[in-house]
Amino acid sequence: MGRAFLPQRPGAVIVDDNTLMMMDAMDIAEEAGFVSYGARNADEAIRLLETSPDIRVLFTDVQMSGSMDGYRLAATVRERWPSVRILVTSGVRGPEVDELPADSLFFCKPYAHHAVADAMTRP
């Protein structure tokens, strides 16, 4: 008897130093069909990207502890992993003209869950 082939789901890295916000966004990613990975800062997110080739989405808060903020993380990810979809969020301030990499999206907190899920899964 043959075994059914189950394709691996793509991954999404959720970066937020607020545990509740991170868990909420991880739930959004899971409901959108992703395996979600949580990271509390940019350094953890980069380690996940380096070790998990299935990651297709980065959803990061702007303000967090660590070596870089969310905008710098987004720029680093665009440079090193150009095919990763980048979504950035903040409840403090929106991006300046040159802070978001090309083809990135910004969401003000509080954000609509369906809007984030749609952005994660858009073709």
Side-chain angles (χ1 to χ4, degrees), residues 4 10 18 22 25 29 49 58 60 77-78 82 89 101 104 111 117 119:
N18 178 309
M22 179 176 59
L49 283 153
L58 169 75
T60 183
V77 170
R78 174 60 71 233
T89 187
S104 300
Y111 43 77

Side-chain angles (χ1 to χ4, degrees), residues 27-107:
D27 286 344
I28 294 170
E30 290 281 338
E31 290 172 12
F34 293 88
V35 173
S36 61
Y37 301 94
R40 296 189 189 287
N41 58 51
D43 299 318
E44 288 181 14
I46 289 172
R47 279 193 295 278
L48 284 167
L49 283 153
E50 289 173 339
T51 59
S52 304
D54 64 315
I55 294 172
R56 300 293 175 262
V57 172
L58 169 75
F59 184 53
T60 183
D61 189 24
V62 171
Q63 291 187 305
M64 62 185 131
S65 60
S67 65
M68 62 181 88
D69 69 10
Y71 293 128
R72 192 159 155 222
L73 172 60
T76 300
V77 170
R78 174 60 71 233
E79 182 179 305
R80 292 184 62 187
W81 297 277
S83 64
V84 169
R85 179 166 297 142
I86 297 172
L87 311 175
V88 179
T89 187
S90 178
V92 179
R93 69 173 182 89
E96 298 294 326
V97 174
D98 61 347
E99 285 184 302
L100 278 182
D103 299 322
S104 300
L105 295 174
F106 180 82
F107 294 88

Side-chain angles (χ1 to χ4, degrees), residues 107-121:
F107 294 88
C108 290
K109 288 182 180 178
Y111 43 77
H113 287 199
H114 68 86
V116 173
D118 288 349
M120 287 180 172
T121 59

